[in-house]
Amino acid sequence: MPSLEQPPKGVVAGLEEAIELLSKQPTSGRPAKVRDEVVKLLKTLHSEAQKEQASQRTMKAPAEEAILDKLSEIQATIEKQIQATVEKQIQAAVKKLERKNNIEASGDAPENDAPKNDAPKSEVSKNDTPKNYADVLKSTATKANHQTERQKQKEALAQEQASYRTVLSMKNMRPEARKSLLAMTGREIAERCQDEINSWEWKSKNGKILPKPHIIGVKKLPHHLHLHFETSYQALTANTLKDWGNAFEGLRLHEPVYGVVVRRAPIDTPTDDKALRSLEEENNLKTGTITKAAPLRGRKKQQVDENSDDHSLVLYLNDKHAANRCIANGVNIDFAHHATERFTPQFKATQCFNCYSHGHHASNCKRNPRCGKCSENHDTRECKNAVVKCCQCGGPHEAWQARCPVIIAEKKRLKELMGRTPCLFDSWEHELEED
Ligand SMILES: [Zn+2]
Ligand SMILES: [Zn+2]
Ligand SMILES: [Zn+2]
């Protein structure tokens, strides 16, 4: 006798999803044991649910809901455990590295061989400014190795953390609105954004109701907002909401952009919307993939021939795989084939014109001003000293001169780092950030 009743699809499908998700969690030690036990338990539940389905007994809706709730609870607990373990492992590895490299990591590094007292201080102390090019290069090189190893650990940690957050962009907000948002507390921002989340009905593609993402933390950057969630699954769910305008006018989901440098593009290559659409068509890209095209900035004058009729053009794509295809295959502009490469602005040396150290711009500098001419603590523009002394290396030149050994060393460091960077965008990292 055929039954008209639908079998309860939710539980079986939900269990299958949970089993698959859980078994894929890479982990070790205790969390792995917990994971395996729970997977076993879920499988038992799964086969029972299947039997139930077969016998066409319908399950009451509240029971089904309760099971799904329990499942997401279990999943959240396990994700938290895995997160904690990964963090511990990374911290341990970083500590180990620090111990190994403690030559310069901190002032309290053990100095077993050095006589502690009485010995005349003939040696250059750690905090002395290096005096010549070789010194600077030596110290920077060791530091660079040290940083690279640390960098790997940090990147692994960053990757793990990134999966728990959603990034929103404030670039389309009015300046006053952005300012007042940045003046709010994390709690206030979280509440407004949570209201926005709560006003939505979250459904998966097949119509299943998803648990609402729950914000547990907020990080404010000059142009971006990070919302941290309890689980990476929640962050993934929240990533489907593109327009956060009801929480804050102009607030949007930050969609990463991937830059591709097109070599020797004609200098008169049009970059308006219409031109970009035909560029997409010519290169077999989906419509809307290229969001912007702009000349590569900051090339040195002497490298550009005054009469040259081509230049490097940067294409900004919103799809990583499309960007990788452009890097691998090159790009055609009006039937002319051009070589391409990944755009890596993070390896361009930046010097702060407030404190003259590297890696940040004056607009983001939180340090006291240092004079780029005489190295005293005042704004360079107010300098009345006749002596020229570099605040970076102590040498007789201004702090921005290309011959400064610190600048040479920094450029060398970045070049080495760039050499180790993959040619293609990999699965998770290096979207272009302006913060
Ligand atoms: Zn600075
Ligand atoms: Zn000065
Ligand atoms: Zn210098």
Side-chain angles (χ1 to χ4, degrees), residues 370-385 387:
R370 288 199 82 178
C371 179
K373 281 181 188 161
C374 72
S375 82
E376 281 173 18
N377 294 335
H378 55 246
D379 194 302
T380 308
R381 285 162 296 191
E382 288 157 16
C383 186
K384 291 184 183 80
N385 274 334
V387 185

Side-chain angles (χ1 to χ4, degrees), residues 390 392-393 397 404-405:
C390 173
Q392 291 279 91
C393 72
H397 53 255
C404 172

Side-chain angles (χ1 to χ4, degrees), residues 216-228:
I216 55 166
V218 167
K219 184 175 181 181
K220 294 182 277 181
L221 294 163
H223 298 282
H224 294 97
L225 202 60
H226 291 180
L227 301 181
H228 290 258

Side-chain angles (χ1 to χ4, degrees), residues 35-312:
R35 179 196 62 200
D36 296 341
E37 271 167 31
V38 177
V39 167
K40 216 167 120 192
L41 186 74
L42 289 175
K43 280 183 177 160
T44 322
L45 279 170
H46 179 248
S47 70
E48 268 171 29
Q50 267 182 327
K51 270 185 229 156
E52 194 129 330
Q53 200 179 60
S55 71
Q56 298 200 338
R57 260 183 290 144
T58 47
M59 211 180 255
K60 276 179 195 143
E64 185 178 333
E65 233 168 62
I67 290 178
L68 286 175
D69 274 0
K70 193 77 205 158
L71 273 179
S72 35
E73 223 174 83
I74 294 173
Q75 190 192 328
T77 320
I78 290 167
E79 281 192 32
K80 264 184 202 160
Q81 276 204 11
I82 291 169
Q83 163 87 335
T85 317
V86 169
E87 270 174 25
K88 257 190 219 152
Q89 284 168 350
I90 290 172
Q91 271 167 12
V94 169
K95 272 211 183 110
K96 211 166 141 192
L97 270 169
E98 278 173 343
R99 252 179 272 129
K100 220 167 118 189
N101 294 287
N102 65 9
I103 335 141
E104 58 185 327
S106 66
D108 50 36
E111 291 168 89
N112 300 330
D113 304 329
K116 281 261 154 86
N117 310 311
D118 304 331
K121 291 217 166 177
S122 59
E123 278 179 5
V124 181
S125 109
K126 251 177 273 174
N127 295 325
D128 270 4
T129 326
K131 286 296 183 291
N132 58 48
Y133 180 51
D135 276 351
V136 173
L137 268 192
K138 213 167 84 190
S139 78
T140 325
T142 332
K143 223 179 194 164
N145 290 338
H146 181 58
Q147 279 172 348
T148 320
E149 283 308 309
R150 270 192 78 135
Q151 201 64 32
K152 279 185 201 155
Q153 305 291 337
K154 277 186 180 170
E155 276 178 14
L157 186 56
Q159 179 185 5
E160 179 65 23
Q161 282 175 351
S163 68
Y164 281 72
R165 70 175 178 235
T166 285
V167 183
L168 306 183
S169 164
M170 294 187 252
K171 276 172 204 155
N172 292 305
M173 289 177 76
R174 284 176 298 113
E176 324 80 85
R178 187 170 66 89
K179 235 177 159 181
S180 71
L181 187 160
L182 288 172
M184 288 168 76
T185 65
R187 178 185 286 275
E188 288 167 334
I189 297 171
E191 278 169 2
R192 290 264 286 266
C193 292
Q194 189 66 51
D195 283 348
E196 170 83 58
I197 288 175
N198 295 344
S199 73
W200 284 83
E201 199 183 349
W202 297 82
K203 278 187 180 168
S204 70
K205 272 179 201 154
N206 47 26
K208 203 174 76 185
I209 306 274
L210 301 169
K212 286 189 163 81
H214 183 229
I215 302 171
I216 55 166
V218 167
K219 184 175 181 181
K220 294 182 277 181
L221 294 163
H223 298 282
H224 294 97
L225 202 60
H226 291 180
L227 301 181
H228 290 258
F229 291 95
E230 283 168 344
T231 65
S232 52
Y233 187 67
Q234 288 185 11
L236 218 58
T237 308
N239 273 340
T240 56
L241 182 55
K242 308 240 156 151
D243 188 355
W244 292 73
N246 289 334
F248 296 95
E249 204 191 321
L251 190 64
R252 300 236 179 101
L253 180 74
H254 166 72
E255 298 186 76
V257 182
Y258 306 88
V260 176
V261 180
V262 180
R263 291 288 172 212
R264 306 194 74 104
I267 213 145
D268 53 4
T269 307
T271 55
D272 56 303
D273 272 0
K274 205 178 140 218
L276 297 186
R277 296 299 82 80
S278 71
L279 203 59
E280 284 161 2
E281 203 178 72
E282 193 177 354
N283 290 280
N284 209 3
L285 299 167
K286 249 196 274 167
T287 308
T289 312
I290 305 175
T291 58
K292 196 174 97 176
L296 182 65
R297 286 165 305 175
R299 287 187 76 191
K300 282 193 188 116
K301 281 254 162 62
Q302 62 263 30
Q303 285 179 320
V304 180
D305 182 355
E306 290 276 300
N307 303 315
S308 164
D309 52 6
D310 57 45
H311 65 174
S312 290

